[in-house]
Every structure is written in structure tokens, then in C-alpha cells.
Amino acid sequence: MAKQVNLKFTAEDGVTPVVEKIRGRMSSELDSAQSRLFSFGNMLQFSIIPAIAAAGGASLKFAMDINAGMANVQSLIPEATSRIYDLKKEVQALQIDTGKAASDLTGGLYQVVSAFGDSADAAKELELSAKTAVAGVSTTTGAVDLLSAVTKAYGDISLESQKKVADLAMETVTLGQTTFPQLAGSIPAVTSLASKLGVTMEELFAVMATGTGVTGQASEVSTQLRGVLQGLMAPSKEMTVLLDAMKVKSGAALLEQRGLVDTIKLLVSAADQANIPLQKLIPSIEGQTLALSLAGAQYDVYGSKLDSMHDRMEVMIRAYKAQTEGVNAAGHAWDRFKQQIVVTAQNIGDSVLPTLTAVIQKFNEAAEASRTAEEEARHTPGY
């Protein structure tokens, strides 16, 4: 039979201190584990949970923001509810593709529908304007304003005509000393008159490309060109005599016969030969400034830029690719990534909104019932 052996360790034997040290180490680890567990709980309570709540609130805000923008569009086509949802998907796709915010794109879509109507090409028109805006460092609304001002003035608002104007505008920004927003804000002042007199789009933009930085900013060049054209639209007595001598019926006929810059050169030359002030033919002082420049030092420059306008080929798309695939490719990728997150949040918010709407409606009804009851009580005798 085995005997039980009891061993007793003393401080002198060297074992007991080791055991106590192990016991203390285990106690310390347990305390540390407990502390970490408590900290993790606090993190859940004070960090992760509020973050989740904040994300939910952000999702609702993103959803309501894009819906507010789409509601503005729907005000233009109030009976086309299903169409609005289709267009909303197009806006979200463009958010991810271009990296532009929903507010920019819904604002642009509103202008597209307002300017061109809700055509089958509305989504493509929005895409064109959004990419033109990226290429020209502008807002989508600003791009639509320029494209619509020119195409409507020239009587052709087709998608192909809009693409042509987008290319001409980008070529003007490239060749001139101006920006896309400046061009968008100034050229509408002269488009209708230019179209009426038969000035081609290429001539119009070539003047803007030549004059900017030479006779003034885009707004000034636009005013100057308008002054020249007004002199041809409503000819003075001296202009009428000149037209009769040339056996030309009108200023528009002279433009058709000779083109814009050669007409201007002829007027400057005729004033010199007749020894009369140019003001007699072009009453506007602003118009005279541009005319003297185009008929003089800028004549050949204008011709070169006009050739470029005729030879343009997908200028806007090349500029867009330079903005998105060139030196700032990483920046554009980051913008797209952010918009992907926003679109995801919009969709999450949309899934919650019906329930939230029902809750808010119930709350409003209860609040209204409470106010009604209080009002009735106020009118009760003895209240």
C-alpha cells in the first residue's frame, strides 16, 4: 500500500517564493484581462455603437439629399414618377464614374431637363455635361448652361450638337486665355446675335480664343463681338452706303460672303480709305477695340485658331481623360471611391426611409391630435 507523503517547503528551501511569484503573476494577468474586457466594453459603448448610429444618420441624410435634388427634377416632369427613379440611378452611376457629388449632378440634371426637355437622351446629355465639367473644372450646371446657350441659339439641341459645342469650348479654353466658367458666363450674351447673322460656331469660338487675354477677359470679348455684330445688324448711314457700293443687301449677306474676320478687316480698311472714323461703321467703342485687333496683329492668329476649331476631334474627351487618368489619377480614383461609399449610404438610407416616414407621420398625427384636444379644452367652459 502506497504511503502518502506530505512535503513542506519553507522560505529557505527556495521553492515557496517561486510558487508565490507564479500566483502573483496569474493574479496580475487576470486583473489585466478584466481591465481589457472593461475597456472593450467601453469602446463598444462610447465608440463603435455611436459610430454605427452616426453612419445610420449619415445614410439617411445622403438619401434625403439626393431625393431632394431629384424632387426638383420631378417638379419639371411631375407625372413621371417611375422616370425619376430611372434618372436617379443614372445620377448615382455618374457619381461613381465621375467622382462628382449628387448635389452637383442633380442640379445639372435639373438644367438638362429645363433646357432640353426630358428626352430619351437626357441621361447621355447629363453625362456629357458632367464630363465636360470635369474636363473644364466647372460645375455640371455651368456646363449645361454653356451647351444650351449655344445649341439653342443655333437651333440644334441634339446630343451631337452639344458634343460639338463641348469640343469647341474646350478648344477655346486650351487656345485662349480664359476658363470654362468664364466662358460659360459670357458667351450667351452674343450667341443669339451671332447665329442670326450667320456667324458659324467655329468663328464664334475662334474669336473668343483669340480675343481673351488680348482685348480683355471672356466677358469683355463677348461684349466687343456683340458691338461689331450690332454694327452689321443695324447699319449706320455710312455702313449702308458701303454695303450699297459693294452691291450687298445686308450685313448678314456680307458675313456670308466674306466670313467674320474678313468682313471686319474690310470695314477697318474701308474706314481708313474713306478717311472716316471707324465709329461711323462700328458705333460701339468695344466693337472697335476687337475689330482693330482682329484686322491687325491678331488676323493670322485668328486664322490659325479657326483652323484648330475645324480640326478638333474629341477635344473634351481627351481633356477629361487628362483630368482623370493623368497625373491626378489617384485623386480621381479617391473621388470615385468616396462617391461609391456615398451611393451605398444613399441606398441604405432609402431602405430605412419608408419606416422612418411612417413613424414621423404617426408622431405628427399624435401631435396634431394633442393640439386639437388642447384647443378644444381651451374653449370648454370652466377651463
Side-chain angles (χ1 to χ4, degrees):
M1 184 177 178
K3 291 183 179 181
Q4 183 175 358
V5 178
N6 294 319
L7 299 175
K8 185 177 180 180
F9 298 103
T10 66
E12 289 73 22
D13 59 25
V15 176
T16 298
V18 175
V19 173
E20 291 300 325
K21 186 175 181 180
I22 293 173
R23 181 185 297 159
R25 181 69 175 271
M26 290 178 64
S27 176
S28 176
E29 289 295 333
L30 286 172
D31 289 343
S32 177
Q34 184 178 18
S35 176
R36 289 197 299 272
L37 206 55
F38 180 75
S39 297
F40 182 67
N42 283 340
M43 183 178 68
L44 286 176
Q45 180 178 356
F46 299 113
S47 178
I48 295 178
I49 292 175
I52 292 173
S59 295
L60 289 172
K61 184 180 186 308
F62 284 134
M64 287 188 285
D65 284 349
I66 189 173
N67 288 343
M70 293 305 301
N72 293 337
V73 178
Q74 189 171 10
S75 70
L76 300 176
I77 43 175
E79 305 302 322
T81 302
S82 61
R83 171 65 169 159
I84 290 298
Y85 284 106
D86 290 340
L87 289 173
K88 179 180 175 181
K89 291 179 181 178
E90 298 289 349
V91 167
Q92 290 178 314
L94 277 176
Q95 283 181 250
I96 297 170
D97 187 23
T98 65
K100 278 192 161 290
S103 58
D104 178 272
L105 292 171
T106 55
L109 179 59
Y110 181 91
Q111 288 299 97
V112 165
V113 175
S114 178
F116 306 120
D118 181 29
S119 69
D121 286 332
K124 293 180 180 178
E125 290 167 346
L126 176 61
E127 179 183 6
L128 173 65
S129 292
K131 290 185 175 180
T132 300
V134 172
V137 195
S138 173
T139 63
T140 301
T141 296
V144 177
D145 288 345
L146 190 150
L147 301 187
S148 65
V150 179
T151 57
K152 290 171 79 172
Y154 279 82
D156 181 2
I157 61 172
S158 67
L159 182 60
E160 286 305 311
S161 181
Q162 292 177 49
K163 289 179 179 179
K164 175 180 178 179
V165 174
D167 284 339
L168 289 170
M170 283 308 309
E171 188 76 342
T172 300
V173 171
T174 300
L175 299 177
Q177 191 175 324
T178 187
T179 66
F180 199 95
Q182 289 173 351
L183 194 61
S186 60
I187 203 169
V190 73
T191 50
S192 294
L193 189 55
S195 172
K196 180 72 174 177
L197 287 171
V199 175
T200 67
M201 287 186 187
E202 289 82 359
E203 289 176 319
L204 171 63
F205 282 99
V207 168
M208 299 303 294
T210 304
T212 50
V214 177
T215 61
Q217 297 183 347
S219 59
E220 294 169 308
V221 175
S222 179
T223 300
Q224 292 162 1
L225 178 57
R226 184 177 179 84
V228 171
L229 297 180
Q230 284 174 332
L232 291 164
M233 171 68 82
S236 63
K237 180 179 67 174
E238 289 79 6
M239 176 73 83
T240 301
V241 170
L242 176 62
L243 294 175
D244 288 344
M246 297 176 61
K247 300 184 187 309
V248 178
K249 293 182 179 179
S250 64
L254 181 60
L255 283 167
E256 181 180 7
Q257 183 183 101
R258 292 178 176 265
L260 178 61
V261 75
D262 283 333
T263 293
I264 291 173
K265 191 174 182 68
L266 183 150
L267 296 180
V268 172
S269 177
D272 284 342
Q273 291 176 11
N275 197 27
I276 60 173
L278 183 57
Q279 183 180 3
K280 296 293 185 180
L281 301 178
I282 303 176
S284 165
I285 186 64
E286 293 87 359
Q288 295 167 45
T289 299
L290 180 66
L292 290 170
S293 178
L294 291 177
Q298 298 301 309
Y299 181 82
D300 290 335
V301 175
Y302 168 88
S304 175
K305 293 183 178 182
L306 180 61
D307 288 342
S308 295
M309 295 297 170
H310 285 293
D311 294 338
R312 76 193 182 282
M313 182 173 291
E314 296 187 334
V315 176
M316 186 279 290
I317 290 299
R318 285 190 277 117
Y320 176 78
K321 288 182 177 179
Q323 286 279 6
T324 59
E325 300 175 11
V327 68
N328 192 41
H332 179 65
W334 175 246
D335 288 338
R336 293 186 62 199
F337 173 69
K338 288 189 293 184
Q339 289 306 317
Q340 177 70 74
I341 293 175
V342 170
V343 169
T344 300
Q346 289 168 349
N347 293 334
I348 292 172
D350 277 337
S351 68
V352 176
L353 280 175
T355 301
L356 179 63
T357 301
V359 171
I360 293 174
Q361 182 63 31
K362 291 295 183 183
F363 176 84
N364 289 339
E365 290 173 358
E368 182 62 29
S370 176
R371 284 195 297 270
T372 301
E374 183 178 354
E375 187 65 24
E376 290 175 351
R378 287 178 183 276
H379 293 83
T380 301
Y383 174 76

